Amino acid sequence: MANTIRTDYSNLMNLVKDLIVLESAAAIVHWDMETLMPPRAVVLRSEQLALISRVSHKMSTDPEIGRLLRDITGNSQYDTLHEVEKRNLQLTQKNYEEQTALPEKLVAEIAKQQAITVNMWKRAKAAKSFSMLRAELEKLLELNRQAAEILMKVKGTRTPYDALIDIYEPKMTAENIDKIFTPLQQGLTKLLEKIQASPVKSDTNTLKATIPVETQRRIAKELSQTLGYDTTSPKAGGRIDETEHPFTTGYYDDVRITTHYHPEEFTSSIFSVLHETGHALYEQNLPQRWKYQPVGMNCSMGFHESQSRFCENIIGRSREFWACWLPKLKRIVAPALSGVNLDDFVLAINSVKPSKIRIEADEVTYSLHIIVRFQIEKDLFNGKTSVAELPAIWNQKYEEYLGVKVQNDSEGVMQDTHWSSGMYGYFPSYALGNIYSGHLIAQLTKEIQDWRDQLQKGNLKKLLKWLKENVHSYGKLYDTADLLRKITGKNLDAKPFLQYLQEKYSEIYSF
Ligand code: CO
């Protein structure tokens, strides 16, 4: 009997491994499409990706997986399995049930409608015309609503929207997010008022310099190296390439990041490299012993974002980091920036100004952009808002929360690709990432009191080790709330993040 359960378990994990390996191959094929692929390859590439996704769906709904799961969980020796094995089974079961519950026809329809809608979104955005997008977006939303209703039953969530959130943030609900976002919004608004009332103003001219792309490539390599992301040694497991929109992709020993270089705006690549490096470190630091297992994956999109924002903002926009790095940067770009001092540089990279575009937002206003999207998305799924009403509601909320007037829908409701790509339920993860990172700083400060002094000396070893041991090394062993409690003993709330911002910005803006 004991033998049967071990054999069944290892047979099941072999099936899961094949699926994980195939998906990692798909990720590299996709990476190639975004970075190096010649233009004529586009049709062949879409065939390749479609085939991989068909095979992958077939493999993940293989009845053999269902049979093995039933045999293992029904086996009288089930309790002899250890915690990690049980978690692997639980995650495999969840994925199997969800994949098999969705009719193949609906999955195919969604994929097709998604491609049509993204394509229309590009055209509508260029033409600044939401009415061009409306009909296709309605169709895509309706199909996703159908999928969400099915997933709701399988996942046992209270609403269809909660089922979508669960894809990115397991076990999180809209109700919980509301409870956390409401005080977050109030806290950010108060902080913003204080910053705007401050006599200290950042001077954007501080960062005006033309830095050749080749020089920026060198900065990117050295910066990511500083954080322990190796792209140069013979043992490197990373690379940096170039795309318009930066991203990270890969698995364990092959995790790649991309960035963009604008000669007139060198800080753009600096912060995108720091951000993506945070994502890459998470993937590379997952425990090697869990490779090819469901547990050897990141905990959630929110936790992923907590790591990227930790590197980009908490480390990368701190005075301590630049006390050490600014002289180095000046040497690399000389004679540019020769007249810039640390105070001015730190103020300039922490300039706070409400804006219309999420991806350009500063650390303080960023989460307000997310709150707007979350509230609208929630109402879209509970029927309080229709697609036709989106632009008006968007513009009204931007004026209310950020005090900015949206002039056209390209800089408004059509600025992000998420809704046209069918990624409903994803947006909250961005702000949750900030909130998780707040908890992490509070705990880190308790455990390594002098981490800021060490950072100032250019010693990131302990800090990076702490992130690896406390976040990365847990992989997907726990759901988000349990992982946070494991690390900090606390339940999720916005206070630590607001406290971090308050301390940082009151110093920079003297209030
Ligand atoms: Co990110």
Side-chain angles (χ1 to χ4, degrees):
M1 204 63 171
N3 266 343
T4 328
I5 195 169
R6 293 258 48 109
T7 315
D8 282 351
Y9 179 80
S10 82
N11 286 343
L12 180 64
M13 284 304 113
N14 283 336
L15 292 176
V16 170
K17 177 183 172 179
D18 285 351
L19 192 57
I20 290 174
V21 172
L22 180 67
E23 276 163 9
S24 75
I28 296 305
V29 169
H30 196 267
W31 167 87
D32 173 79
M33 181 170 79
E34 301 289 337
T35 51
L36 301 170
M37 185 182 84
R40 245 170 62 199
V42 68
V43 175
L44 175 60
R45 184 54 44 94
S46 65
E47 293 282 350
Q48 291 163 333
L49 287 168
L51 176 62
I52 294 175
S53 109
R54 280 204 304 278
V55 173
S56 153
H57 185 251
K58 205 168 177 185
M59 284 165 72
S60 59
T61 55
D62 183 352
E64 182 66 3
I65 294 181
R67 188 191 69 77
L68 288 166
L69 281 167
R70 267 193 312 278
D71 286 357
I72 296 167
T73 46
N75 193 305
S76 60
Q77 302 290 309
Y78 177 77
D79 278 332
T80 61
L81 297 174
H82 63 69
E83 187 195 9
V84 172
E85 290 170 325
K86 285 181 184 162
R87 178 65 171 171
N88 275 331
L89 290 168
Q90 187 198 339
L91 292 169
T92 307
Q93 179 104 36
K94 185 173 194 269
N95 187 55
Y96 179 73
E97 282 173 3
E98 289 170 16
Q99 295 288 328
T100 45
L102 291 173
E104 219 160 295
K105 191 169 161 265
L106 180 61
V107 174
E109 269 180 302
I110 289 178
K112 200 173 152 205
Q113 185 58 35
Q114 221 160 282
I116 294 170
T117 314
V118 173
N119 191 39
M120 188 55 89
W121 167 72
K122 285 182 190 157
R123 290 171 49 201
K125 190 176 174 183
K128 301 190 172 86
S129 161
F130 182 77
S131 59
M132 273 172 75
L133 176 65
R134 185 182 146 184
E136 300 302 347
L137 191 58
E138 275 168 351
K139 280 186 222 161
L140 183 63
L141 187 72
E142 182 44 41
L143 290 168
N144 275 280
R145 211 190 298 271
Q146 287 173 31
E149 266 156 26
I150 295 168
L151 288 175
M152 175 179 98
K153 285 176 203 133
V154 186
K155 289 169 184 272
T157 60
R158 213 170 52 82
T159 66
Y161 184 49
D162 283 349
L164 298 175
I165 295 172
D166 181 85
I167 297 171
Y168 308 102
E169 219 55 33
K171 300 232 171 92
M172 184 61 75
T173 63
E175 196 184 341
N176 266 336
I177 294 174
D178 255 331
K179 273 188 203 141
I180 296 158
F181 279 8
T182 305
L184 176 66
Q185 188 200 336
Q186 288 162 351
L188 292 176
T189 307
K190 265 189 213 144
L191 188 60
L192 185 59
E193 281 164 7
K194 286 186 201 163
I195 293 170
Q196 287 176 323
S198 162
V200 180
K201 301 283 175 217
S202 73
D203 182 1
T204 44
N205 284 326
T206 310
L207 304 173
K208 277 245 156 14
T210 305
I211 312 292
V213 168
E214 205 38 59
T215 312
Q216 292 196 40
R217 286 199 186 105
R218 196 180 140 203
I219 298 169
K221 271 185 193 153
E222 294 205 13
L223 265 180
S224 56
Q225 189 77 43
T226 299
L227 270 81
Y229 176 59
D230 182 4
T231 62
T232 51
S233 86
K235 281 181 159 178
R239 305 180 40 101
I240 306 175
D241 291 88
E242 290 160 39
T243 54
E244 191 192 334
H245 297 290
F247 67 91
T248 301
T249 193
Y251 190 64
Y252 278 89
D253 304 310
D254 181 359
V255 181
R256 309 173 185 203
I257 70 170
T258 70
T259 185
H260 49 218
Y261 301 109
H262 305 301
E264 310 295 329
E265 226 182 301
F266 70 96
T267 52
S268 177
S269 75
I270 285 184
F271 292 107
S272 87
V273 164
L274 288 169
H275 182 98
E276 301 307 327
T277 294
H279 282 307
L281 290 177
Y282 191 177
E283 293 294 325
Q284 290 196 325
N285 284 339
L286 292 168
Q288 285 284 340
R289 66 183 186 285
W290 291 348
K291 194 158 37 172
Y292 309 129
Q293 298 173 35
V295 76
M297 287 181 189
N298 62 77
C299 175
S300 74
M301 280 301 116
F303 260 99
H304 230 307
E305 203 60 17
S306 81
Q307 297 308 290
S308 57
R309 303 222 130 223
F310 205 104
C311 290
E312 177 193 349
N313 293 330
I314 295 163
I315 298 177
R317 289 185 208 268
S318 71
R319 186 184 171 84
E320 291 83 2
F321 182 76
W322 288 102
C324 184
W325 240 88
L326 186 59
K328 213 184 277 186
L329 177 66
K330 283 167 132 181
R331 269 198 303 278
I332 301 174
V333 303
L337 302 183
S338 58
V340 175
N341 68 38
L342 181 61
D343 284 335
D344 293 342
F345 187 81
V346 171
L347 180 60
I349 61 171
N350 287 294
S351 162
V352 174
K353 195 169 182 270
S355 66
K356 292 176 244 184
I357 307 293
R358 173 184 66 88
I359 56 170
E360 289 164 12
D362 57 77
E363 209 179 356
V364 174
T365 59
Y366 187 91
S367 301
L368 295 172
H369 290 258
I370 301 306
I371 293 170
V372 168
R373 286 156 179 76
F374 162 70
Q375 292 180 348
I376 295 177
E377 211 174 54
K378 191 179 58 169
D379 284 350
L380 263 180
F381 278 89
N382 65 25
K384 280 193 197 147
T385 295
S386 68
V387 169
E389 293 168 310
L390 283 179
I393 291 172
W394 182 283
N395 297 353
Q396 178 252 318
K397 283 195 187 284
Y398 259 76
E399 190 154 6
E400 188 185 335
Y401 295 0
L402 286 134
V404 293
K405 265 200 182 322
V406 174
Q407 304 295 334
N408 62 68
D409 296 331
S410 299
E411 57 170 34
V413 68
M414 291 198 293
Q415 66 180 265
D416 291 318
T417 177
H418 301 58
W419 288 343
S420 300
S421 307
M423 291 162 82
Y424 305 102
Y426 188 104
F427 275 124
S429 296
Y430 289 117
L432 290 170
N434 287 333
I435 297 170
Y436 292 134
S437 74
H439 278 280
L440 295 177
I441 314 163
Q443 189 61 26
L444 170 69
T445 309
K446 265 190 216 160
E447 293 180 27
I448 308 176
Q449 278 146 17
D450 68 339
W451 70 273
R452 288 194 180 273
D453 297 333
Q454 293 184 29
L455 186 57
Q456 183 148 3
K457 290 180 192 132
N459 182 3
L460 280 81
K461 255 203 188 123
K462 271 197 185 168
L463 167 61
L464 295 169
K465 189 165 165 259
W466 189 89
L467 288 175
K468 180 176 176 175
E469 284 175 359
N470 286 278
V471 183
H472 312 159
S473 75
Y474 285 111
K476 210 178 180 59
L477 187 57
Y478 304 111
D479 289 321
T480 53
D482 294 335
L483 178 60
L484 187 67
R485 264 193 297 274
K486 187 91 192 165
I487 303 168
T488 67
K490 301 236 156 57
N491 291 326
L492 191 62
D493 97 64
K495 265 190 218 129
F497 177 59
L498 285 168
Q499 168 107 26
Y500 151 76
L501 290 178
Q502 168 72 27
E503 280 168 18
K504 175 175 171 177
Y505 287 89
S506 61
E507 202 178 313
I508 296 177
Y509 284 89
S510 310
F511 57 81

